């Protein structure tokens, strides 16, 4: 396979951890796929935001991991952080339900913005399993290599860190449990916050307060879950 120059805009701590993945054949193939995709289609999020989760939350700063599936596929929605949208963008239904549970759990008022950057800056890694998507076609970039890359990130956190809290909402995220050393880390599971499953146990899961209780037991500062 011909060599392709890859210099991802990603935090140095993550680049050091994942450098071999960037040089692997599957990642080279993934980059070629994305180059061809951009010639014919609109891709979300913008290139500068593909690795936003890693850039807002350096490897050594991670305290909590929330795993999503795909970026949002509507215009202007995806900003590189799972479940998050940029300021001025309407909150998708799953995010609305996350804020409802947050309000019920901790009494935090439901915000006007859906931008979760304040969480990421405090150590909440908001990681989608697939980091790009074709406009209006959910799942269109699955099984092209992103999953191998993000699985490697989860494994690295499991192996090299201790006492992290992994929040797994829905069956897709829960399938990642096999990547996590449960003897070293905490796992919180609940149904997905989508309207289809939110009443099956997401509402009332109290994952925000439980996360903060676990962080305190680990001797770490609790997350301020307010976003505005």
């Amino acid at each position: 396979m011909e060599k392709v120059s890859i210099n991802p805009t990603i935090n140095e701590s993550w680049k050091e951890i994942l450098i071999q993945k960037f040089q692997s054949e599957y990642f080279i193939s993934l980059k070629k796929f994305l180059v061809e995709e951009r010639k014919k289609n609109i891709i979300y999020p913008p290139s500068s935001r593909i690795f936003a989760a890693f850039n807002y939350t350096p490897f050594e700063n991670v305290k909590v991991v929330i795993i999503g599936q795909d970026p949002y596929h509507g215009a202007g929605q995806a900003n590189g952080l799972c479940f998050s949208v940029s300021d001025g963008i309407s909150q998708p239904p799953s995010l609305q339900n996350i804020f409802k549970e947050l309000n019920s759990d901790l009494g935090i008022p439901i915000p006007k913005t859906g931008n979760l950057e304040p969480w990421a800056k405090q150590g909440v890694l908001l990681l989608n399993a697939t980091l790009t998507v074709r406009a209006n076609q959910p799942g269109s970039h699955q099984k092209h290599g992103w999953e191998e890359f993000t699985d490697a990130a989860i494994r690295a956190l499991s192996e090299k860190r201790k006492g992290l809290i992994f929040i797994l909402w829905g069956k897709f995220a829960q399938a990642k449990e096999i990547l996590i050393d449960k003897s070293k880390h905490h796992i919180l599971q609940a149904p997905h916050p989508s309207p289809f499953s939110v009443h099956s146990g997401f509402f009332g899961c109290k994952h925000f307060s439980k996360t903060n209780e676990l962080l305190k037991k680990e001797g770490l500062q609790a997350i301020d879950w307010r976003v505005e």
Side-chain angles (χ1 to χ4, degrees), residues 46-114:
S47 295
S48 62
R49 300 286 303 191
I50 289 174
F51 296 104
F54 300 96
N55 291 329
Y56 279 102
T57 316
F59 184 81
E60 64 276 7
N61 291 358
V62 175
K63 299 193 291 188
V64 181
V65 182
I66 298 178
I67 299 174
Q69 189 164 358
D70 267 4
Y72 295 123
H73 55 85
Q77 289 183 308
N79 68 1
L81 306 175
C82 74
F83 294 108
S84 174
V85 292
S86 295
D87 293 327
I89 302 296
S90 297
Q91 297 171 11
S94 291
L95 183 56
Q96 292 178 30
N97 289 331
I98 289 169
F99 287 146
K100 287 177 184 176
E101 174 58 22
L102 181 58
N103 173 255
S104 172
D105 186 8
L106 291 174
I108 292 175
I110 294 174
K112 294 177 182 178
T113 183

Side-chain angles (χ1 to χ4, degrees), residues 110-124:
I110 294 174
K112 294 177 182 178
T113 183
N115 193 335
L116 303 182
E117 289 177 10
W119 295 3
K121 291 176 180 177
Q122 294 178 76
V124 182

Side-chain angles (χ1 to χ4, degrees), residues 34 42 75 110 160 170 185:
L34 292 174
I42 297 172
I110 294 174
K160 298 177 184 295
H185 303 285

Side-chain angles (χ1 to χ4, degrees), residues 165 209-222:
I165 297 121
S209 60
K210 288 178 180 178
T211 294
N212 281 350
E213 289 168 7
L214 290 169
L215 287 172
K216 289 175 183 176
K217 287 181 181 178
E218 292 289 341
L220 299 171
Q221 186 172 353

Side-chain angles (χ1 to χ4, degrees), residues 18 20 23 30 33 35 58 80 93 99 103 148 159-160 164 167 171-172 178 193 198 201 215 217:
L18 299 170
Q20 290 184 331
Q23 297 169 347
L30 171 62
F33 165 74
V35 168
F99 287 146
N103 173 255
E148 289 96 324
E159 292 170 6
K160 298 177 184 295
L164 303 182
I167 297 177
K171 292 180 180 178
F172 180 88
I178 61 171
V198 71
L215 287 172
K217 287 181 181 178

Side-chain angles (χ1 to χ4, degrees), residues 14-26:
W14 280 107
K15 185 180 286 190
E16 183 177 338
I17 292 288
L18 299 170
I19 187 66
Q20 290 184 331
K21 306 304 175 184
F22 288 120
Q23 297 169 347
S24 67
E25 289 198 5
Y26 81 77

